[in-house]
Amino acid sequence: MLFHLNPENGVVNRCSAEQKCRYSNEFHYNSIAEAREAYERRMSNQVVNTMSKSSTSNAEQIEKLSQESRAAKRKMWKLVKELKTAEGNPEALASVRWFRMVQEAKRLNFLTTAKEREAERYMSSEERNRLQQQRDDQKALNQAKFENWKQQQEKKNGPYNFHPDITSENEADANQVISSYSGMSTEDVKKQVDDLMATGMTRTEAYRHMWTNMSLRTDKPLASIDLEVAASQESGYVDKGPYSNIIEVGIVKRYPDGRVETMSFMSGVPQDFAKVHGTGAEHVHHISWDEIKDKEVFVNDPEKQTKVLSMLSDSVMVAHNAKFEIGQLQHNLFGFNALQANGLEVLDTRMVSTFFLPETPDNTNKSLVEASGQSYTGAHRALADAEMTLTALLKLKDVD
């Protein structure tokens, strides 16, 4: 079995392409360890080349900081490998040990980048510009790959369908919406759908009939949550939690008797992260460094952790594109994985749009909100998004 190395970012993957692999034989190895050692040598050679253009004192600093960065990266890789062994094991994912390992891997990731950037301060402007250009080129390449993938999918499957028919392949998502909203078991939902289909309805018609006539459950509150996070923007990918920091939480909790409780707060980011990335995608969430610079990091704030967990623990969690919130909470809120293991119900309003609002132009939160007759204002701030999402859901179902 061969493994190939991406020489630009050090990522190692199993190679299944054989002769068609885009990486040359130079970047193929017999083991992951061998590939990573080769990447370390490559990085060392880059440092030597840079040192040759620098003064002796600068070269020593560059070498020292680069060694520290590579050491942190090696430790991070070791932790990531161990974390992967817990995948699919709810007990392991809910453990204190797993959560601490996640935070340590995150710390090492931030430390690696911070040391790299600190080393660059001792380089010539020409070398710094070259390294920045490499990062920009890699980001552009990643984005181009994603666009190419989307084009290939469209070529294979046709234009993306925001409102597909409900089939046996995707009905679990539609079922979950009805189950979490109504309180019915997924088995009972499926049985009623089958009964309706026996009368001549299609699967899509049956699910939409149930959604239209379904009443809101009275046994649990709905807790609508939205998160704003700080994550690196360098790769061009959206981080799903492992290397993100939750910097704003907004929760709106509606009880069965109509009472409403809200929670909103901001949190900080680690210094090593802030040195390089600031608050992440500030152009999206509009949260500046000045707003959070003196605040505690969310994972280090037991009071806020306890409050969020308490708001969710007895509720149906509501979110738009809930996979994002779930991923962030899994890696940043200790106890959330245990909640999931114990049957936390999640209502994803994106699935409401997808399956039950075929008249909307897409399945974004904006379209959901506007379909309910609201104006989509104040978006991408946590409490505003949580409020708009929950209000839209209830208005669409004529619930006061």
Side-chain angles (χ1 to χ4, degrees):
M1 181 183 297
L2 287 177
F3 297 86
H4 60 229
L5 166 71
N6 183 328
E8 298 299 328
N9 57 23
V11 172
V12 179
N13 286 304
R14 182 181 300 171
C15 182
S16 58
E18 298 179 354
Q19 299 300 321
K20 296 181 180 180
C21 182
R22 66 189 182 89
Y23 297 106
S24 65
N25 291 337
E26 177 187 0
F27 299 112
H28 282 80
Y29 303 89
N30 293 319
S31 69
I32 294 175
E34 184 182 345
R36 286 178 175 165
E37 286 175 6
Y39 181 67
E40 294 299 329
R41 289 195 300 272
R42 182 180 177 85
M43 294 302 294
S44 295
N45 289 337
Q46 286 187 5
V47 170
V48 170
N49 291 337
T50 300
M51 287 165 57
S52 66
K53 301 176 184 179
S54 309
S55 66
T56 302
S57 60
N58 281 0
E60 291 173 352
Q61 283 295 327
I62 293 170
E63 172 65 9
K64 175 178 177 293
L65 291 166
S66 297
Q67 286 182 356
E68 291 172 355
S69 174
R70 293 196 298 275
K73 183 174 286 188
R74 283 194 296 271
K75 291 178 181 177
M76 182 191 73
W77 274 336
K78 184 177 179 181
L79 278 176
V80 168
K81 182 178 180 181
E82 190 171 352
L83 285 167
K84 284 185 176 297
T85 64
E87 291 179 0
N89 183 339
E91 184 177 348
L93 293 174
S95 67
V96 174
R97 181 173 179 273
W98 183 87
F99 193 75
R100 287 177 176 169
M101 287 172 61
V102 168
Q103 305 317 312
E104 179 61 9
K106 185 184 299 187
R107 184 190 71 82
L108 290 168
N109 176 271
F110 299 156
L111 179 62
T112 296
T113 307
K115 291 294 182 181
E116 288 174 354
R117 297 300 190 276
E118 192 176 349
E120 289 176 20
R121 290 169 46 203
Y122 295 92
M123 298 179 186
S124 66
S125 59
E126 177 185 350
E127 186 65 12
R128 285 197 300 273
N129 292 338
R130 186 183 68 79
L131 291 173
Q132 184 58 52
Q133 186 62 55
Q134 285 182 351
R135 288 191 287 269
D136 292 342
D137 290 346
Q138 185 61 47
K139 180 177 180 178
L141 177 62
N142 292 340
Q143 292 172 333
K145 285 180 182 177
F146 179 64
E147 290 302 319
N148 182 63
W149 175 82
K150 288 200 299 184
Q151 290 173 8
Q152 292 300 318
Q153 292 298 305
E154 284 199 9
K155 185 176 180 181
K156 178 181 177 182
N157 304 316
Y160 183 78
N161 186 357
F162 290 104
H163 306 292
D165 286 337
I166 300 172
T167 66
S168 57
E169 285 75 27
N170 62 17
E171 74 172 314
D173 291 327
N175 188 315
Q176 181 60 41
V177 169
I178 293 175
S179 174
S180 56
Y181 182 83
S182 68
M184 293 175 62
S185 69
T186 54
E187 292 79 11
D188 285 344
V189 172
K190 182 66 167 62
K191 183 178 183 305
Q192 287 199 26
V193 166
D194 289 343
D195 289 344
L196 289 169
M197 290 176 65
T199 68
M201 287 188 183
T202 66
R203 195 183 308 272
T204 301
E205 289 169 341
Y207 271 104
R208 288 179 179 169
H209 175 83
M210 285 195 68
W211 174 249
T212 299
N213 295 281
M214 192 60 60
S215 297
L216 176 63
R217 67 195 301 161
T218 58
D219 62 323
K220 285 185 179 182
L222 302 180
S224 179
I225 184 169
D226 187 78
L227 307 173
E228 302 301 333
V229 305
S232 169
Q233 302 298 294
E234 291 187 351
S235 69
Y237 297 123
V238 176
D239 181 68
K240 298 178 181 178
Y243 304 116
S244 299
N245 299 282
I246 293 176
I247 57 174
E248 188 175 40
V249 175
I251 302 177
V252 182
K253 186 170 184 175
R254 183 195 183 276
Y255 292 86
D257 62 6
R259 287 182 298 119
V260 175
E261 180 181 357
T262 64
M263 172 190 291
S264 179
F265 60 80
M266 288 184 177
S267 295
V269 296
Q271 288 298 315
D272 282 334
F273 178 92
K275 288 176 185 175
V276 180
H277 307 294
T279 63
E282 186 175 342
H283 64 289
V284 175
H285 54 57
H286 307 299
I287 298 173
S288 69
W289 171 241
D290 285 341
E291 291 179 273
I292 64 171
K293 64 182 180 181
D294 297 322
K295 297 186 181 298
E296 182 63 85
V297 176
F298 179 62
V299 294
N300 298 333
D301 194 325
E303 181 179 353
K304 288 178 180 175
Q305 291 256 318
T306 300
K307 286 181 177 179
V308 173
L309 203 61
S310 176
M311 288 283 271
L312 296 175
S313 61
D314 63 344
S315 307
V316 176
M317 178 177 139
V318 178
H320 197 85
N321 191 23
K323 288 182 179 180
F324 176 80
E325 268 71 24
I326 288 171
Q328 298 297 332
L329 293 170
Q330 285 174 335
H331 293 89
N332 289 283
L333 175 61
F334 179 67
F336 183 79
N337 286 339
L339 270 187
Q340 283 194 294
N342 290 326
L344 173 70
E345 293 182 83
V346 178
L347 197 167
D348 188 345
T349 52
R350 184 170 180 266
M351 295 298 104
V352 173
S353 296
T354 298
F355 297 118
F356 304 124
L357 296 176
E359 69 278 7
T360 56
D362 52 41
N363 50 27
T364 62
N365 202 22
K366 180 176 184 290
S367 290
L368 175 85
V369 169
E370 291 178 347
S372 72
Q374 295 183 84
S375 174
Y376 189 64
T377 56
H380 298 298
R381 291 305 296 260
L383 186 60
D385 276 353
E387 286 177 332
M388 286 192 291
T389 299
L390 183 59
T391 301
L393 174 66
L394 298 177
K395 279 183 174 292
L396 287 165
K397 291 294 292 173
D398 295 321
V399 176
D400 295 330

